[in-house]
Amino acid sequence: ESTYTLGSCPSGYSLVNTLSGTSVDAGNSLYRHDAQQCVKCLDESQYIIRSNVDTCLKCPRGLKCTGDAALDPVVVGSEWVEEEVAGVGMIYRLVSCPSHYSVSLGSEADGSLQECVACGKGQECFGTNGTNCTVCSLCGSGYYKDAAVAEGCKACPANTYYGGTGAEAVSECVACPDGSTTRGLSGQTSVEACACDAVLYRVVSGGGADVVSCVTCPTGAECQDEGSGKTCGLGSVNLTCGLTPLVGNWSRVHESTYTLGSCPSGYSLVNTLSGTSVDAGNSLYRHDAQQGGGKDRKPGCVSVPVSKRSSRVSHLHHGAPGLSPETNRVPKLGREGRAGDLYGADVALPSPPKQPRPETRPSGGSGGETCPAQLQRDIQSW
């Protein structure tokens, strides 16, 4: 008939046998026979895993408590485990959260601040290797997120791009240069995804940071493709209209605008609205007036009538130093059709030697030179 001892309490209660509200062995100096009791943990705000050992603990932010050991996460899919903490007892520890949440443990030893927090603006989280999320990461290039919600990042719309990470608004997605599109694709990461319209071509200007723009195709580089309509030959890798190279010597420094530098013999270089040729620095110079045509006419430079062509054509017939009799002819246009591949207006040939004046005969009531038969055949062949 000795004194009674409280040996255990039911679930949801804490065994107390000290003045401080804790539980110790009966031989401990803190043990008080008159302090023994089962203290019920408060519903919704407390929980207890080991009723006979631990005290009632404050409910973590990420759990819905019922005053006992029941485990009911606020965010479905979050993972919690039991963990003993010195000086506190057995607690629930948050291990991971579902996609687009991060684990927030807080600084309290009892774990009362633990919760799954939705990823913020410009952030998202995906589990890896079958595990849930722990830390949010920045939205990748081409994506943005404009609200702190449990959602993934959104793709930048078509005709825009974004090369950085962590974009927090759709306004950070950069619009493609005028006259270009991403061809319906979203989530693009650089201006390289912006393709100029068919009648334009791409130009890059410097000045510290490269600026991409799409400029009007010069008349002499326009192509008329069957089925696809008008295109720009300067936008092709090899400067062609289909398989046919553009006529004339087109060049540019790095990725600046193209300049028609010269035309082959028998063509007139035009780069003004009035149909003349001036230096690029002249106020009359027009990039888009650099002359030529498409598939249905001579591409590149403007053809000049035979009667108005330079005497340099006849120079080739009469003989230029260093040319053999077999090559002393008006050259034919090669497959490449470029000024650099034939003797053109930009090739300085020596003046022809003086020749005896050919026999003349009346023609239509007025006098004139008779075109040598060989030269006629050469011009017709050319």
Side-chain angles (χ1 to χ4, degrees):
E1 297 184 20
S2 60
T3 55
Y4 277 98
T5 298
L6 179 59
S8 64
C9 294
S11 175
Y13 287 79
S14 172
L15 192 156
V16 173
N17 56 20
T18 68
L19 294 179
S20 61
T22 60
S23 176
V24 295
D25 294 334
N28 192 294
S29 61
L30 298 177
Y31 176 82
R32 288 288 296 270
H33 172 267
D34 56 344
Q36 296 179 99
Q37 61 178 318
C38 287
V39 178
K40 180 173 175 53
C41 296
L42 300 177
D43 294 340
E44 298 183 2
S45 62
Q46 291 181 326
Y47 75 101
I48 187 169
I49 298 175
R50 300 181 301 188
S51 297
N52 301 324
V53 177
D54 301 323
T55 58
C56 296
L57 298 174
K58 187 176 180 180
C59 186
R61 291 178 179 177
L63 291 178
K64 293 180 285 186
C65 296
T66 56
D68 53 19
L71 181 62
D72 187 10
V74 172
V75 176
V76 177
S78 58
E79 182 181 0
W80 299 74
V81 297
E82 295 180 1
E83 179 182 305
E84 186 163 7
V85 178
V88 176
M90 190 70 72
I91 69 168
Y92 283 124
R93 177 68 73 192
L94 175 60
V95 177
S96 66
C97 300
S99 294
H100 311 309
Y101 286 91
S102 66
V103 172
S104 177
L105 297 178
S107 59
E108 298 295 325
D110 62 2
S112 59
L113 299 180
Q114 299 176 100
E115 63 179 330
C116 289
V117 179
C119 294
K121 291 183 178 182
Q123 298 179 339
E124 64 182 358
C125 184
F126 289 98
T128 58
N129 299 323
T131 63
N132 285 346
C133 293
T134 55
V135 180
C136 295
S137 56
L138 296 177
C139 293
S141 298
Y143 288 78
Y144 73 97
K145 185 180 172 189
D146 54 8
V149 293
E151 297 176 355
C153 299
K154 305 172 186 177
C156 286
N159 304 330
T160 67
Y161 64 93
Y162 184 68
T165 57
E168 298 182 1
V170 67
S171 59
E172 294 187 56
C173 300
V174 183
C176 284
D178 291 343
S180 67
T181 69
T182 59
R183 299 176 179 176
L185 299 178
S186 59
Q188 300 305 295
T189 61
S190 76
V191 71
E192 300 299 326
C194 301
C196 292
D197 295 343
V199 293
L200 307 174
Y201 73 96
R202 186 175 184 270
V203 168
V204 179
S205 57
D210 288 344
V211 178
V212 176
S213 59
C214 296
V215 300
T216 303
C217 189
T219 305
E222 291 178 354
C223 310
Q224 189 64 44
D225 293 337
E226 295 180 3
S228 59
K230 187 178 291 187
T231 60
C232 184
L234 298 179
S236 63
V237 176
N238 297 318
L239 306 185
T240 60
C241 283
L243 299 177
T244 304
L246 297 176
V247 172
N249 181 22
W250 297 88
S251 64
R252 64 176 176 175
V253 178
H254 300 301
E255 295 186 79
S256 60
T257 54
Y258 275 99
T259 299
L260 178 57
S262 62
C263 295
S265 178
Y267 287 79
S268 171
L269 192 157
V270 173
N271 57 22
T272 69
L273 295 179
S274 60
T276 60
S277 176
V278 297
D279 292 335
N282 192 296
S283 60
L284 297 178
Y285 174 84
R286 283 289 297 270
H287 168 268
D288 55 347
Q290 297 179 94
Q291 200 53 257
K295 183 177 180 181
D296 298 331
R297 47 195 175 137
K298 291 187 190 313
C301 309
V302 179
S303 180
V304 179
V306 173
S307 62
K308 296 183 179 180
R309 291 180 184 172
S310 168
S311 62
R312 292 183 182 180
V313 174
S314 63
H315 293 180
L316 292 173
H317 175 72
H318 289 300
L323 296 179
S324 66
E326 294 180 358
T327 60
N328 187 18
R329 296 169 54 87
V330 177
K332 296 181 181 180
L333 282 173
R335 290 187 60 192
E336 295 301 319
R338 298 178 184 274
D341 299 331
L342 45 80
Y343 300 107
D346 58 334
V347 179
L349 294 177
S351 299
K354 292 184 178 181
Q355 301 288 338
R357 183 179 181 86
E359 178 184 355
T360 61
R361 62 183 177 184
S363 175
S366 60
E369 290 188 354
T370 300
C371 184
Q374 180 61 52
L375 182 56
Q376 290 183 21
R377 289 194 297 273
D378 290 341
I379 292 176
Q380 290 171 357
S381 175
W382 175 44

